[in-house]
């Protein structure tokens, strides 16, 4: 499941971020050199924190650092080809008045900004923008979805509450839109597919906001399994923290959302329990201070993609939990993997059954 969700979020961010259909989630699950190189680079850069020899390997161009160089070349080749193709497409569309093929992805907007010399945006800057969106929008969302599915399938009462909320949501939305729900036969792939598509069409940004319990499930997942489990910050200038601790320029301060989410001091005696209800009051979702719930950071550095991430996760989970039931494969061990993101070492192997 982890791999499928990674493919989904990569396809999504490539489409929204730079208007490219790369189709890694196609039914035949094709290999993608960019995705593989991106994963390899992510792992190797993370291992630099614990590999005292990485600078020597880099100097000699051997071992993991040689793999990193190859991976970065593949990433650059793909990214620059997308940038050059998009620039050419923009030029062609501007030559034809009232052309309806103008794209509105994020890369196109940055290319337009780059036409102003004062913005100082070159191809390297555009590459960094593209990769920043991939880094921010792919692994974090897919990993959180994986942990959310794991939490739902290992807490039967949560799975049932999510299912009931989605069933009620579907019924209410059909009445609001004055549409008749299509039959859903789990043994008939065609009718099942039609019903899932109809359900997807009933979702919108505003209506998804009414799925309070699902929102609480995702938030509770992020409390216990934050996508970025620890977050280091470099110190530019000598400073004094609020508690009086002096910090020196050139050093680093790290806070650990993983630990903070499990502190009884913050969350009470049941801090280690998966309990979505802690986020609800009279059935409505109640957020906590971002300085307490730190999965998205806080203050000026709060995650710009927070709402977008929630939207994508709620859409994916709404469809999956409405029409499917998940069960962990017997004997499959769910463990952490040492990376920047709190991913699953062995993936998430599950059995899937359909729901009407």
């Amino acid at each position: 499941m982890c791999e499928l969700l990674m493919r989904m979020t990569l396809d999504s961010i490539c489409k929204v971020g730079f208007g490219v259909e790369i189709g890694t989630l196609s039914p035949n699950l094709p290999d993608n050199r960019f995705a593989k190189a991106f994963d390899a680079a992510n792992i190797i850069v993370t291992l630099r924190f614990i590999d005292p020899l990485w600078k020597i390997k880099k100097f000699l161009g051997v071992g993991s650092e040689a793999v990193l160089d190859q991976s970065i070349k593949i990433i650059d080749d793909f990214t620059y080809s997308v940038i050059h193709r998009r620039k050419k497409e923009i030029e062609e569309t501007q030559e034809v008045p009232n052309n309806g093929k103008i794209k509105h992805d994020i890369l196109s907007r940055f290319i337009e900004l780059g036409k102003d010399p004062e913005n100082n945006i070159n191809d390297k800057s555009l590459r960094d923008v593209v990769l920043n969106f991939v880094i921010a929008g792919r692994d974090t969302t897919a990993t959180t979805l994986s942990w959310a599915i794991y939490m739902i399938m290992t807490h039967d009462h949560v799975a049932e509450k999510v299912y009931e909320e989605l069933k009620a949501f579907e019924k209410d939305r059909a009445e609001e839109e004055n549409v008749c729900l299509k039959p859903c036969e789990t043994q008939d792939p065609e009718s099942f597919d039609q019903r899932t598509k109809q359900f997807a069409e009933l979702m919108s940004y505003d209506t998804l906001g009414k799925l309070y319990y699902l929102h609480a499930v995702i938030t509770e997942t992020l409390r216990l399994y934050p996508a970025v489990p620890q977050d280091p910050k470099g110190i530019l200038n000598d400073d004094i923290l609020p508690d009086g601790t002096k910090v020196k320029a050139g050093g680093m301060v790290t806070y650990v959302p993983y630990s903070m989410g499990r502190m009884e001091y913050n969350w009470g005696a049941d801090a280690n329990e998966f309990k979505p209800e802690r986020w609800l009051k009279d059935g409505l979702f109640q957020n906590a201070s971002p300085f307490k719930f730190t999965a998205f950071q806080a203050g000026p550095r709060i995650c710009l993609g927070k709402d977008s991430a929630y939207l994508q996760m709620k859409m994916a989970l709404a469809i999956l939990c409405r029409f499917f039931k998940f069960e962990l494969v017997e004997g499959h061990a769910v463990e952490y993997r040492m990376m920047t993101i709190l991913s699953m070492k062995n993936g998430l192997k599950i059995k899937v059954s359909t729901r009407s």
Side-chain angles (χ1 to χ4, degrees), residues 112-337:
E112 290 296 324
L113 285 174
K115 291 180 180 179
D116 184 345
E118 291 186 6
N119 288 327
N120 195 28
I121 297 177
N122 54 27
D123 282 0
K124 183 179 181 301
S125 304
L126 291 170
R127 180 206 66 172
D128 294 344
V129 166
V130 167
L131 292 181
N132 197 32
F133 274 98
V134 174
I135 291 166
R138 178 196 177 221
D139 295 39
T140 51
T141 304
T143 296
T144 302
L145 283 170
S146 299
W147 286 113
I149 289 171
Y150 177 61
M151 287 290 97
I152 291 168
M153 79 168 75
T154 53
H155 295 78
D156 291 340
H157 69 287
V158 173
E160 203 54 37
K161 281 187 177 182
V162 169
Y163 177 68
E164 291 301 327
E165 181 181 55
L166 293 170
K167 285 275 283 185
F169 170 84
E170 181 182 39
K171 181 174 178 290
D172 292 344
R173 286 291 297 128
E175 290 176 358
E176 289 171 8
E177 296 294 326
N178 196 27
V179 298
C180 183
L181 291 172
K182 296 177 180 178
C184 180
E185 298 294 335
T186 57
Q187 302 304 316
D188 177 17
E190 187 174 345
S191 74
F192 186 78
D193 189 43
Q194 289 298 318
R195 181 65 171 267
T196 56
K197 288 180 178 178
Q198 184 182 39
F199 179 78
E201 289 168 359
L202 292 172
M203 293 191 290
S204 68
Y205 179 82
D206 291 328
T207 57
L208 280 168
K210 298 175 183 177
L211 294 172
Y212 299 117
Y213 192 76
L214 183 61
H215 196 98
V217 167
I218 295 171
T219 307
E220 182 72 345
T221 300
L222 282 163
R223 181 182 72 84
L224 290 172
Y225 301 96
V228 182
Q230 62 176 354
D231 201 341
K233 305 294 182 190
I235 303 167
L236 291 178
N237 302 300
D238 291 354
D239 207 346
I240 300 176
L241 300 181
D243 69 345
T245 302
K246 294 180 179 179
V247 293
K248 297 291 185 181
M252 191 174 286
V253 173
T254 301
Y255 72 98
V256 187
Y258 180 89
S259 300
M260 295 171 71
R262 295 164 185 266
M263 286 180 174
E264 292 186 7
Y265 170 82
N266 280 333
W267 302 98
D270 59 356
N272 282 303
E273 295 179 28
F274 182 76
K275 191 176 175 183
E277 290 76 12
R278 78 174 73 243
W279 297 93
L280 301 173
K281 185 176 181 181
D282 299 327
L284 301 178
F285 182 84
Q286 300 292 313
N287 216 336
S289 164
F291 293 95
K292 176 182 176 182
F293 172 62
T294 55
F296 291 98
Q297 305 197 61
R301 289 183 176 272
I302 198 161
C303 176
L304 296 176
K306 177 181 176 181
D307 290 342
S308 175
Y310 263 113
L311 180 64
Q312 185 175 12
M313 289 189 287
K314 286 166 78 171
M315 289 172 68
L317 286 175
I319 295 173
L320 291 173
C321 295
R322 164 62 187 87
F323 292 101
F324 301 96
K325 192 170 184 178
F326 304 107
E327 180 186 351
L328 193 66
V329 169
E330 188 176 348
H332 177 65
V334 176
E335 300 174 353
Y336 302 138
R337 180 167 65 157

